[in-house]
């Protein structure tokens, strides 16, 4: 008998085929609506494999309802939606999708830097709203990217990919990380700084750390006050790394120049969020890895992890804590 699997959203066909060949599956067959919690809780009762997105919380309560579960294959590199320690206690393997989304996410971090610095989305709204009367010397002026200093928080795969792109813009690149890596410094031409110095010296600060108890709220009022008034903050990691209310106040009071955000404390961004009132922030709906090719690769990677574990093979991308 094929192992039973539950898939929490409609996924790309190629990934579904991998699962269908070797598993019996049920799927929440919608693209844009997450599976309701009560449906998920009732669906996991008899399954050995669970294919999840970052929108599903895999916690003790869900695990209690899934006595046969052997693997949670998350279609994301981040896994803060999963209680990995609780899974480990029950012998449940957790996997993620590292590597395949690195370059795509770095592209988006750069897009946000450019858009926030050069006021791209604000300028487009201005034009579409029929406000463009004439060319004027200081109309919609932003700050330069070329030759500026970029501070990267977290020099993992995506941080490194952002650093490589920055060379094309002749940027000076600083980084701060849990561990200093002199080999990488030489390879990428980046300089290490402690956290506070990086914030003080950078014209752009781009965040590339996972969300953990250590990184939660790591950018707040104090850290924002260290940044230059002309600085731009970019976040493509997880919203809760930044204290959103503190950022809103800093942007509102023009204590920093702008921000580019792909992630938020609460997703989807609440319709009454004060961020929506501000013109010096570029807001995107968590699309860092959203290229057609990359999303397909992420789904295939998660499907392969799922199927392997359910057939007694080693997972390709196990998560450990
Ligand atoms: C991830 O993979 O963690 C991203 O946030 C979605 O691609």
């Amino acid at each position: 008998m094929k192992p039973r699997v539950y898939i929490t959203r409609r996924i790309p066909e190629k990934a579904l085929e991998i699962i269908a060949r070797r598993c019996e599956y049920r799927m929440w067959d919608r693209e844009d609506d997450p599976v309701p919690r009560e449906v998920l809780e009732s669906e996991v009762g008899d399954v050995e494999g669970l294919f999840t997105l970052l929108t599903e919380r895999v916690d003790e309560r869900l695990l209690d309802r899934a006595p046969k579960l052997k693997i949670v294959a998350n279609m994301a590199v981040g896994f803060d939606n999963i209680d990995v320690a609780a899974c480990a206690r029950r012998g449940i393997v957790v996997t993620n999708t590292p590597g395949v989304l690195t370059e795509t996410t770095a592209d988006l971090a750069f897009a946000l830097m450019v858009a926030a610095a050069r006021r791209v989305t604000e300028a487009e709204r201005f034009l579409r709203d029929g406000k463009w009367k004439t060319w004027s010397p200081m109309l919609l002026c932003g700050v330069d990217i070329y030759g500026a200093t970029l501070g990267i928080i977290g020099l993992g795969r995506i941080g490194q990919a952002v650093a490589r792109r920055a060379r094309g813009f002749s940027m000076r690149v600083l980084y701060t990380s849990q561990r200093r890596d002199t080999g990488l410094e030489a390879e990428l031409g980046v300089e290490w700084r402690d956290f506070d110095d990086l914030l003080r010296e950078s014209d752009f600060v781009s965040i590339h750390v996972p969300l953990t108890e250590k990184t939660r709220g790591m950018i707040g009022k104090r850290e924002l006050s260290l940044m230059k008034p002309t600085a731009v903050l970019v976040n493509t990691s997880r919203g809760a790394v930044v204290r959103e209310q503190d950022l809103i106040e800093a942007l509102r009071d023009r204590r920093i120049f702008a921000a580019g955000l792909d992630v938020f404390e609460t997703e989807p961004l609440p319709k009454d969020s004060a961020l929506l009132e501000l013109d010096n922030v570029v807001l995107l709906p968590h699309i860092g890895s959203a290229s057609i090719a990359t999303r397909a690769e992420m789904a295939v990677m998660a499907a392969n992890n799922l199927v392997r574990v359910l057939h007694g093979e080693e997972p390709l991308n196990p998560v450990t804590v």
Side-chain angles (χ1 to χ4, degrees):
M1 208 173 95
K2 287 178 174 177
R4 279 203 188 117
V5 161
Y6 188 66
I7 306 169
T8 63
R9 199 77 66 89
R10 188 181 304 157
I11 56 172
E13 204 53 42
K14 246 169 103 178
L16 198 56
E17 280 166 16
I18 292 170
I19 296 173
R21 268 200 299 274
R22 299 181 74 192
C23 304
E24 229 177 73
Y25 74 89
R26 298 190 301 271
M27 177 168 74
W28 179 251
D29 197 7
R30 312 247 184 116
E31 206 155 298
D32 298 324
D33 291 316
V35 57
R37 179 70 184 195
E38 63 280 9
V39 174
L40 180 59
E41 286 184 4
S42 74
E43 288 284 9
V44 293
D46 63 347
V47 301
E48 290 169 75
L50 188 57
F51 184 113
T52 51
L53 310 186
L54 52 82
T55 44
E56 280 78 58
R57 209 166 12 88
V58 179
D59 51 15
E60 293 272 14
R61 187 185 149 97
L62 188 72
L63 296 176
D64 282 344
R65 286 164 172 68
K68 298 185 175 166
L69 198 61
K70 293 187 178 144
I71 172 159
V72 179
N74 209 33
M75 186 186 144
V77 68
F79 46 84
D80 48 284
N81 56 313
I82 299 173
D83 186 339
V84 180
C87 287
R89 283 196 295 277
R90 296 167 192 243
I92 299 168
V93 175
V94 177
T95 61
N96 68 342
T97 61
V100 289
L101 47 72
T102 301
E103 303 298 337
T104 305
T105 307
D107 282 349
L108 194 88
F110 235 89
L112 276 174
M113 268 172 56
V114 175
R118 296 297 307 275
R119 303 171 64 178
V120 172
T121 50
E122 183 190 356
E124 197 199 4
R125 278 195 301 276
F126 176 86
L127 182 152
R128 285 180 187 270
D129 290 349
K131 294 181 180 160
W132 187 20
K133 303 266 177 340
T134 180
W135 187 94
S136 346
M138 298 310 286
L139 176 66
L140 289 160
C141 287
V143 292
D144 282 316
I145 299 130
Y146 177 87
T149 297
L150 167 64
I152 295 179
I153 302 180
L155 199 63
R157 291 186 196 84
I158 299 172
Q160 290 172 39
V162 169
R164 279 192 210 98
R165 280 159 180 71
R167 289 166 70 172
F169 283 75
S170 295
M171 297 180 98
R172 175 169 162 246
V173 183
L174 312 177
Y175 81 101
T176 190
S177 217
Q178 264 184 334
R179 255 172 290 113
R180 197 175 159 176
D181 185 332
T182 48
L184 262 185
E185 285 172 26
E187 184 191 322
L188 299 173
V190 300
E191 299 165 44
W192 185 84
R193 287 290 183 281
D194 75 27
F195 185 49
D196 286 4
D197 284 343
L198 176 129
L199 294 171
R200 280 190 200 101
E201 283 182 49
S202 299
D203 300 304
F204 293 84
V205 173
S206 193
I207 305 173
H208 301 288
V209 290
L211 177 62
T212 64
E213 280 326 301
K214 267 199 189 143
T215 61
R216 187 179 292 278
M218 80 188 289
I219 302 283
K221 200 180 169 82
R222 187 193 77 85
E223 292 72 25
L224 290 161
S225 76
L226 297 177
M227 290 173 65
K228 299 180 185 181
T230 50
V232 173
L233 178 71
V234 170
N235 190 9
T236 51
S237 63
R238 285 293 181 267
V241 173
V242 177
R243 291 179 196 274
E244 211 161 271
Q245 189 51 39
D246 292 350
L247 177 61
I248 288 166
E249 283 162 26
L251 288 167
R252 193 184 277 147
D253 301 345
R254 310 272 160 182
R255 278 185 268 119
I256 63 170
F257 183 75
L261 306 176
D262 185 42
V263 288
F264 304 91
E265 276 178 354
T266 303
E267 296 182 6
L269 185 65
K271 291 194 170 61
D272 61 353
S273 166
L275 284 168
L276 293 163
E277 307 293 316
L278 302 172
D279 56 16
N280 54 347
V281 59
V282 178
L283 305 168
L284 298 179
H286 204 147
I287 56 165
S289 62
S291 77
I292 298 163
T294 293
R295 285 286 167 86
E297 280 192 73
M298 290 164 67
V300 164
M301 195 175 214
N304 280 326
N305 278 311
L306 184 83
V307 166
R308 283 176 73 95
V309 170
L310 294 179
H311 286 84
E313 293 161 44
E314 286 300 312
L316 298 168
N317 314 99
V319 164
T320 46
V321 278

